[in-house]
Amino acid sequence: MVPLFLAVFNIRASYSAFKAIIINLSSMDRLRSAFNRVIKNKQYSRFTLHSTEDGEGHAEIKLSDDSGEPDDQVDGSPSFRPAAPRQHWRNLCFYVLGMLLIFGIGYMIAYASQNKHQGEPVRCEPQAKVVTGSQTQVTSAPVTAAAAPAAPEETELQWKDITQLLKQKLTSQSFKTTLSDFNLPRHAAGSEEDENLGERIVNEFKMQRMDPWTDVHYVQLQMPNSELPNSVYFGSSVFKPEGYLAYSFPGTAQGKLVYGNYGRKEDLEVLQKNNIGVEGSVVLLRAGKISFAEQVDNAAAKGASAVLIYPDPEQHSYRHDTPLYGHVHLGSGDPYTPGFPSFNHTQFPPTKSSGLPKIPAQTITAKDAITLLQNISGPEPAASSNFKGGLPAITYRLGGQENITVEVNNILVNKKIHNVFGVIKGFTDPDRYVVLGAQRDAWGEGYTKATVGTTVLVELAKAVRKMVDEDGFKPRRSIVFASWSAGEYGSVGATEWLEGYMSSIDKSVFTYISLDGVVLGRGSFVASASPLLYSLLEGTMKEVQDPFGSGSLHSMMGKNNWEAAVMKPMTVDDSAYPFLAFAGIPSISFHFISRNTDSYLYYGTDLDNKDHLNYQTTQKTSEMTVAAAQVAGQMALRLVHDHLLRLDTTRYGSVLTNAVAQVYKRLMQLSMSGQLKDVSPNWLNQARGSFQRATSGIKTAIGNTDLTDQEACRILNDRIMSVESTLLSPYVSPNETPFRHLLFGRGPHTLASIAKSTDMEDLRVQLALATWNLQGCANAMMGNIWDIN
């Protein structure tokens, strides 16, 4: 019965074969007459035989119509005429034979097809992994039968294979060689040495077939005036410091000398409590805790006329005559082209960054600071204030009695800088990429600040290239390797690139991994990152071995409370900060560091060299650099390998809740005191609820999606990628307020600033804008507009 049933369905397929057979039958006329006699239907198709010029016959099919013409003639063609009665049985036999022939052919085709399907092996599709939160469920895909034997497909590398390959490719010997090759005595931003080093990296990328390109900018860098050095006058003492602070306000300032510890806001409040006036004074500060730019900004906000900064031995235990370098731009990029790129064809308007200081600032040595502190006079601060530093035989007084003069003569210099890029393109979504970047320039040798990061960048590029060429690794998304210039001046090269290509970058770059300062010592590990990357970092720490222990990096830092031990707030002087707070790209920086320290004491000095880093790592710098490359490499490869981006939106929940709670508390206090009326924090709290529901919606969508479906994954990844960029406030100008992030930015638009606001009218406006900023982020996470409630 089955073959006969299939035969019926194969009649249509057999019709063409049957027509070819009957055309060549010599008894066509008889068969045609039999059809006409049996069917007796004038509407049936008419077969007409014609002779061609070569004598061969062919059949034409004509459909009869209702034109009313006689049956024996239609368009000049002979009609089907009844045969003579004596031929009836013979013609009927031909008809029966023709029908049997049709069913016979259909039967043979059906039988052959059935046997073919039964004989072929059944191929099972690979299992699909569905990621829900931190759990991975394995579901079987539908089983399908192949139409024909196919060549064996390449087996996709599993994550365990990828990590093993990366470990094999990253060796301490190769790092030791590259560290030595890139170690230069000088490579200041825009210098010939800096350009030559950039060209060497271009050649490295060419050798790896990474299609390298360069990004050229023309920037304004501030440097000391060789003809008119900076000076400090205190009584009969005159100092001519070698170090300097780039982007200081040039000019001369005078005032009473006061000592303000680290220059934090709480430190300057101690001065006020002791009746030491900051306004019009020159404030002496010790380096540390916060950036140079923040120190100068805090002092300027209190009315200081100038700032002097020195390295105190409590944090900087090196020679007292060591000069100190840095910058005081409270921002990033070229401060004379704020918000737009410094391309040569750009029309530069006469604008300046709002982060440029309006008072002179200068570094001095610890030796010079001893002279000042010995003669500063004034009251002693309370012991609880922790104003006392590490200078021997010095009483740290608050001052406010002796005059001092600061003269800064720095000049602006136009410099051409080159950013260098190479790319390993993805096989599925090559237009989406993770960026790994490292600064190339340094004040001096810059071994820790620049050489180590550049080495990790190049060695990782080599390793991943080999994995693709030799081991069959096929990343779904692309990896861009970037070497930045002018990093010492406040991530100038990186920020100018962000400003130049913002319209395309924010839809393509899903993560930035900074390689600057990844090795500062040994014994501890710290990181700063967007909450979206917390889960990725935790997973990476579990897989990367402690460089000098038997367990994992996660175990080394305390697996039960790793986040408190490892994660630190991202500061404005972090090289990853502009990517997060300016461009809205999930970013991370991390550092292997010595225990019980929060910074590298040789940063910004000529002592940042190979010998001092080897001392900090107990002569294990290359091994530590391999471990740092493993961390960066595994995070990058995880992001480009998995179907779904490893960006965990749920980790923003607690951060956002805490920030909203602070605003809520502040608004309730103002309402109860009568300072603020007709303003409710409920709208902001509802926007927070929308954000939480949107993250839950993404989690549910992930659980309900076949993650082997490329288009479905791309849609989900787009929703995940929208989180960070939509947390940038669209209501502030990147010129005046470049760090627009609602949670991690700087300015009155942030939730932290709203929670401290004292201007009621401004608070109303900023609260409304922040509420809709947060709601807009939640809407973007929902995806399609019809899914927005």
Side-chain angles (χ1 to χ4, degrees), residues 90-148:
R90 174 185 269 178
N91 291 341
L92 184 60
C93 289
F94 277 111
Y95 170 74
V96 172
L97 289 174
M99 296 300 291
L100 290 175
L101 179 63
I102 293 173
F103 281 94
I105 293 173
Y107 177 85
M108 287 186 290
I109 293 174
Y111 183 79
S113 176
Q114 180 73 7
N115 283 348
K116 180 179 179 181
H117 283 290
Q118 290 177 350
E120 288 175 348
V122 175
R123 181 172 59 88
C124 295
E125 292 295 327
Q127 291 179 323
K129 293 184 178 180
V130 180
V131 181
T132 305
S134 60
Q135 301 296 321
T136 302
Q137 299 176 350
V138 180
T139 59
S140 297
V143 177
T144 58

Coordinates of all heavy atoms in Angstrom, one line a residue, residues 90-148:
R90 N -9.4 -2.3 -29.8 CA -7.9 -2.1 -29.9 C -7.5 -0.8 -29.3 O -6.5 -0.7 -28.6 CB -7.6 -2.1 -31.4 CG -6.1 -1.8 -31.6 CD -5.8 -1.7 -33.1 NE -5.4 -3.0 -33.6 CZ -5.1 -3.2 -34.9 NH1 -5.3 -2.3 -35.8 NH2 -4.7 -4.4 -35.3
N91 N -8.3 0.3 -29.5 CA -7.9 1.6 -28.9 C -8.0 1.6 -27.4 O -7.2 2.2 -26.7 CB -8.8 2.7 -29.5 CG -8.5 3.0 -30.9 OD1 -7.4 2.6 -31.4 ND2 -9.4 3.6 -31.6
L92 N -9.0 0.9 -26.9 CA -9.1 0.8 -25.4 C -7.9 0.0 -24.8 O -7.5 0.4 -23.7 CB -10.4 0.0 -25.1 CG -10.8 -0.1 -23.6 CD1 -10.9 1.3 -23.0 CD2 -12.1 -0.9 -23.4
C93 N -7.4 -0.9 -25.5 CA -6.2 -1.6 -25.0 C -5.0 -0.7 -24.9 O -4.3 -0.7 -23.9 CB -5.9 -2.8 -25.9 SG -7.1 -4.2 -25.7
F94 N -4.9 0.2 -26.0 CA -3.8 1.1 -25.9 C -4.0 2.1 -24.7 O -3.0 2.5 -24.1 CB -3.8 1.9 -27.2 CG -3.0 1.2 -28.3 CD1 -3.7 0.8 -29.4 CD2 -1.7 1.0 -28.3 CE1 -3.1 0.1 -30.4 CE2 -1.0 0.4 -29.3 CZ -1.7 -0.1 -30.4
Y95 N -5.2 2.5 -24.4 CA -5.4 3.4 -23.3 C -5.0 2.8 -22.0 O -4.4 3.4 -21.2 CB -6.9 3.8 -23.3 CG -7.3 4.5 -22.1 CD1 -6.9 5.9 -21.9 CD2 -8.1 3.9 -21.1 CE1 -7.3 6.6 -20.8 CE2 -8.4 4.6 -19.9 CZ -8.1 5.9 -19.8 OH -8.4 6.6 -18.6
V96 N -5.5 1.5 -21.8 CA -5.2 0.8 -20.6 C -3.7 0.6 -20.4 O -3.1 0.8 -19.3 CB -5.9 -0.6 -20.6 CG1 -5.4 -1.4 -19.3 CG2 -7.4 -0.4 -20.5
L97 N -3.0 0.3 -21.5 CA -1.5 0.1 -21.5 C -0.9 1.5 -21.1 O 0.1 1.5 -20.3 CB -1.0 -0.3 -22.8 CG -1.3 -1.8 -23.2 CD1 -0.8 -2.1 -24.6 CD2 -0.6 -2.7 -22.2
G98 N -1.4 2.6 -21.6 CA -0.8 3.9 -21.3 C -1.0 4.2 -19.8 O 0.0 4.7 -19.2
M99 N -2.1 3.9 -19.2 CA -2.4 4.2 -17.8 C -1.5 3.3 -17.0 O -0.9 3.8 -16.0 CB -3.8 4.0 -17.5 CG -4.8 4.9 -18.2 SD -4.5 6.6 -17.7 CE -5.0 6.6 -16.0
L100 N -1.3 2.0 -17.4 CA -0.4 1.2 -16.6 C 1.0 1.7 -16.7 O 1.8 1.6 -15.7 CB -0.5 -0.3 -17.1 CG -1.8 -1.0 -16.9 CD1 -1.8 -2.4 -17.6 CD2 -2.0 -1.2 -15.4
L101 N 1.4 2.2 -17.8 CA 2.7 2.8 -18.0 C 3.0 3.9 -17.0 O 4.0 4.0 -16.4 CB 3.0 3.2 -19.4 CG 4.3 3.8 -19.7 CD1 5.4 2.8 -19.5 CD2 4.4 4.3 -21.2
I102 N 2.0 4.8 -16.9 CA 2.1 5.9 -16.0 C 2.3 5.5 -14.5 O 3.2 5.9 -13.8 CB 0.8 6.8 -16.0 CG1 0.7 7.5 -17.4 CG2 0.8 7.9 -14.9 CD1 -0.6 8.3 -17.6
F103 N 1.4 4.6 -14.1 CA 1.5 4.1 -12.7 C 2.8 3.3 -12.5 O 3.4 3.3 -11.4 CB 0.3 3.2 -12.3 CG -0.9 4.0 -12.0 CD1 -1.8 4.3 -13.0 CD2 -1.1 4.4 -10.7 CE1 -3.0 5.0 -12.6 CE2 -2.2 5.2 -10.4 CZ -3.1 5.5 -11.3
G104 N 3.3 2.6 -13.5 CA 4.5 1.8 -13.4 C 5.7 2.7 -13.2 O 6.6 2.5 -12.3
I105 N 5.8 3.8 -14.0 CA 6.9 4.8 -13.8 C 6.8 5.4 -12.5 O 7.9 5.6 -11.8 CB 6.8 5.8 -15.0 CG1 7.1 5.2 -16.3 CG2 7.8 6.9 -14.7 CD1 6.9 6.1 -17.5
G106 N 5.6 5.8 -12.0 CA 5.5 6.5 -10.7 C 5.9 5.5 -9.6 O 6.5 5.9 -8.6
Y107 N 5.5 4.2 -9.7 CA 5.9 3.3 -8.7 C 7.4 3.1 -8.6 O 8.0 3.1 -7.5 CB 5.3 1.9 -9.1 CG 5.6 0.8 -8.1 CD1 5.0 0.6 -6.9 CD2 6.7 0.0 -8.4 CE1 5.3 -0.4 -6.0 CE2 7.1 -1.0 -7.5 CZ 6.4 -1.2 -6.3 OH 6.7 -2.2 -5.4
M108 N 8.1 3.1 -9.8 CA 9.6 2.9 -9.7 C 10.2 4.1 -9.1 O 11.2 3.9 -8.3 CB 10.1 2.6 -11.1 CG 9.7 1.3 -11.7 SD 10.5 0.9 -13.3 CE 9.6 2.1 -14.3
I109 N 9.8 5.3 -9.4 CA 10.4 6.5 -8.8 C 10.2 6.5 -7.3 O 11.1 6.8 -6.5 CB 9.8 7.8 -9.5 CG1 10.2 7.8 -10.9 CG2 10.2 9.0 -8.7 CD1 9.5 9.0 -11.7
A110 N 8.9 6.2 -6.9 CA 8.6 6.2 -5.4 C 9.4 5.2 -4.7 O 10.0 5.4 -3.6 CB 7.1 6.0 -5.2
Y111 N 9.6 4.0 -5.3 CA 10.3 2.9 -4.7 C 11.8 3.3 -4.5 O 12.4 3.1 -3.4 CB 10.2 1.6 -5.5 CG 10.9 0.4 -4.9 CD1 10.3 -0.2 -3.8 CD2 12.1 0.0 -5.3 CE1 10.9 -1.3 -3.2 CE2 12.8 -1.1 -4.7 CZ 12.1 -1.8 -3.7 OH 12.8 -2.8 -3.1
A112 N 12.4 3.9 -5.6 CA 13.8 4.3 -5.5 C 14.0 5.4 -4.5 O 14.9 5.4 -3.7 CB 14.2 4.8 -6.9
S113 N 13.0 6.3 -4.4 CA 13.1 7.4 -3.4 C 13.0 6.9 -2.0 O 13.8 7.3 -1.1 CB 12.1 8.5 -3.7 OG 12.1 9.5 -2.7
Q114 N 12.1 6.0 -1.8 CA 12.0 5.4 -0.4 C 13.2 4.7 0.0 O 13.7 4.9 1.2 CB 10.8 4.4 -0.4 CG 10.5 3.8 0.9 CD 9.9 4.8 1.9 OE1 9.6 5.9 1.5 NE2 9.8 4.4 3.1
N115 N 13.8 3.9 -0.8 CA 15.0 3.1 -0.5 C 16.2 4.1 -0.2 O 17.0 3.9 0.7 CB 15.4 2.2 -1.6 CG 14.5 0.9 -1.6 OD1 13.8 0.7 -0.6 ND2 14.6 0.1 -2.7
K116 N 16.2 5.2 -1.0 CA 17.3 6.2 -0.8 C 17.3 6.8 0.6 O 18.3 6.9 1.3 CB 17.3 7.3 -1.9 CG 18.3 8.3 -1.8 CD 18.2 9.3 -2.9 CE 19.2 10.4 -2.8 NZ 19.1 11.4 -3.8
H117 N 16.1 7.2 1.0 CA 16.0 7.8 2.4 C 16.3 6.8 3.5 O 16.8 7.2 4.5 CB 14.6 8.4 2.5 CG 14.4 9.7 1.8 ND1 15.0 10.9 2.2 CD2 13.7 10.0 0.7 CE1 14.6 11.8 1.4 NE2 13.8 11.4 0.5
Q118 N 15.9 5.6 3.3 CA 16.1 4.6 4.3 C 17.6 4.2 4.4 O 18.1 3.9 5.5 CB 15.3 3.3 4.0 CG 13.8 3.6 4.2 CD 13.0 2.3 3.9 OE1 13.5 1.4 3.3 NE2 11.7 2.3 4.1
G119 N 18.3 4.4 3.3 CA 19.7 4.0 3.3 C 20.7 5.0 3.8 O 21.8 4.7 4.1
E120 N 20.2 6.3 3.9 CA 21.1 7.3 4.3 C 21.3 7.4 5.8 O 20.3 7.2 6.5 CB 20.7 8.7 3.8 CG 20.8 8.8 2.3 CD 20.2 10.1 1.8 OE1 19.5 10.7 2.5 OE2 20.5 10.4 0.6
P121 N 22.4 7.7 6.4 CA 22.6 7.8 7.8 C 21.9 9.1 8.3 O 21.9 10.1 7.6 CB 24.1 7.9 8.0 CG 24.6 8.5 6.7 CD 23.7 7.9 5.7
V122 N 21.4 9.1 9.5 CA 20.8 10.3 10.2 C 21.9 11.0 10.9 O 22.6 10.5 11.7 CB 19.7 9.8 11.1 CG1 19.1 11.0 11.9 CG2 18.6 9.1 10.4
R123 N 22.0 12.3 10.6 CA 23.0 13.2 11.2 C 22.3 14.0 12.3 O 21.3 14.7 12.0 CB 23.6 14.1 10.2 CG 24.7 15.0 10.8 CD 25.5 15.7 9.6 NE 24.6 16.5 8.9 CZ 24.2 17.8 9.2 NH1 24.8 18.3 10.3 NH2 23.4 18.5 8.4
C124 N 22.8 14.0 13.5 CA 22.3 14.8 14.6 C 22.9 16.2 14.6 O 24.1 16.3 14.5 CB 22.5 14.1 15.9 SG 21.6 12.5 16.1
E125 N 22.1 17.2 14.7 CA 22.6 18.5 14.8 C 23.3 18.7 16.2 O 22.9 18.0 17.2 CB 21.4 19.6 14.7 CG 20.8 19.6 13.3 CD 21.8 20.1 12.3 OE1 22.7 21.0 12.6 OE2 21.8 19.7 11.1
P126 N 24.2 19.6 16.3 CA 24.9 19.8 17.6 C 24.0 20.4 18.6 O 23.0 21.0 18.3 CB 26.0 20.8 17.3 CG 25.6 21.5 16.0 CD 24.8 20.4 15.3
Q127 N 24.3 20.2 19.9 CA 23.5 20.7 20.9 C 23.6 22.2 21.1 O 24.7 22.7 20.8 CB 23.8 20.0 22.3 CG 23.5 18.5 22.3 CD 23.9 17.9 23.6 OE1 24.9 18.3 24.1 NE2 23.1 17.0 24.1
A128 N 22.5 22.8 21.4 CA 22.5 24.3 21.6 C 22.6 24.6 23.1 O 21.9 24.0 23.9 CB 21.3 24.9 21.0
K129 N 23.5 25.5 23.4 CA 23.7 26.0 24.8 C 22.9 27.2 25.0 O 23.0 28.2 24.3 CB 25.2 26.2 25.1 CG 26.0 25.0 25.1 CD 27.5 25.3 25.5 CE 28.3 24.1 25.5 NZ 29.7 24.4 25.9
V130 N 22.1 27.2 26.0 CA 21.2 28.3 26.4 C 21.7 28.9 27.7 O 21.7 28.2 28.7 CB 19.7 27.9 26.5 CG1 18.9 29.1 26.9 CG2 19.3 27.3 25.1
V131 N 22.2 30.1 27.7 CA 22.7 30.7 28.9 C 21.7 31.5 29.6 O 21.0 32.4 29.0 CB 23.9 31.6 28.5 CG1 24.5 32.3 29.8 CG2 25.0 30.9 27.7
T132 N 21.4 31.2 30.8 CA 20.5 32.0 31.6 C 21.2 32.4 32.9 O 21.5 31.6 33.8 CB 19.3 31.1 32.0 OG1 18.7 30.5 30.8 CG2 18.2 31.9 32.7
G133 N 21.5 33.7 32.9 CA 22.2 34.3 34.1 C 23.6 33.6 34.1 O 24.3 33.7 33.2
S134 N 23.9 33.0 35.2 CA 25.2 32.3 35.3 C 25.1 30.8 35.0 O 26.1 30.1 35.1 CB 25.8 32.5 36.7 OG 24.9 32.0 37.7
Q135 N 23.9 30.3 34.7 CA 23.7 28.9 34.5 C 23.7 28.7 33.0 O 23.3 29.5 32.2 CB 22.3 28.5 35.1 CG 22.2 28.7 36.6 CD 23.2 27.9 37.3 OE1 23.5 26.7 37.0 NE2 23.8 28.5 38.4
T136 N 24.2 27.5 32.6 CA 24.2 27.1 31.2 C 23.4 25.8 31.1 O 23.7 24.8 31.7 CB 25.6 26.9 30.7 OG1 26.3 28.1 30.9 CG2 25.6 26.5 29.2
Q137 N 22.3 25.8 30.2 CA 21.5 24.6 30.0 C 21.8 24.1 28.6 O 22.0 24.9 27.7 CB 20.0 25.0 30.1 CG 19.6 25.5 31.5 CD 18.2 26.0 31.5 OE1 17.5 26.1 30.5 NE2 17.7 26.3 32.7
V138 N 21.8 22.8 28.5 CA 22.0 22.2 27.2 C 20.8 21.6 26.7 O 20.1 20.8 27.3 CB 23.1 21.1 27.3 CG1 23.4 20.5 26.0 CG2 24.4 21.7 27.9
T139 N 20.3 22.0 25.5 CA 19.1 21.5 24.9 C 19.5 20.9 23.5 O 20.4 21.3 22.8 CB 18.1 22.6 24.7 OG1 18.7 23.6 23.8 CG2 17.7 23.2 26.0
S140 N 18.8 19.8 23.2 CA 19.1 19.1 21.9 C 18.3 19.8 20.8 O 17.1 20.1 20.9 CB 18.6 17.6 22.0 OG 19.3 17.0 23.0
A141 N 19.0 20.1 19.7 CA 18.4 20.7 18.5 C 17.7 19.6 17.8 O 17.9 18.4 18.0 CB 19.5 21.3 17.6
P142 N 16.7 19.9 16.9 CA 15.9 18.9 16.2 C 16.8 18.0 15.3 O 17.8 18.5 14.8 CB 15.0 19.8 15.3 CG 14.9 21.1 16.0 CD 16.3 21.3 16.6
V143 N 16.5 16.7 15.3 CA 17.2 15.8 14.5 C 16.7 15.8 13.1 O 15.6 15.7 12.8 CB 17.1 14.4 15.0 CG1 17.8 13.4 14.2 CG2 17.6 14.3 16.5
T144 N 17.6 16.0 12.1 CA 17.3 16.1 10.7 C 18.0 15.1 9.9 O 19.1 14.7 10.3 CB 17.6 17.5 10.1 OG1 18.9 17.8 10.3 CG2 16.8 18.6 10.9
A145 N 17.4 14.7 8.8 CA 18.1 13.7 7.9 C 18.8 14.4 6.8 O 18.2 15.3 6.2 CB 17.1 12.7 7.4
A146 N 20.0 14.1 6.5 CA 20.7 14.8 5.4 C 20.2 14.3 4.1 O 19.8 13.2 3.9 CB 22.2 14.5 5.5
A147 N 20.2 15.2 3.1 CA 19.7 14.9 1.8 C 20.7 14.0 1.0 O 20.3 13.3 0.1 CB 19.4 16.2 1.0
A148 N 22.0 14.2 1.3 CA 23.0 13.5 0.6 C 24.2 13.4 1.5 O 24.4 14.3 2.4 CB 23.4 14.1 -0.7

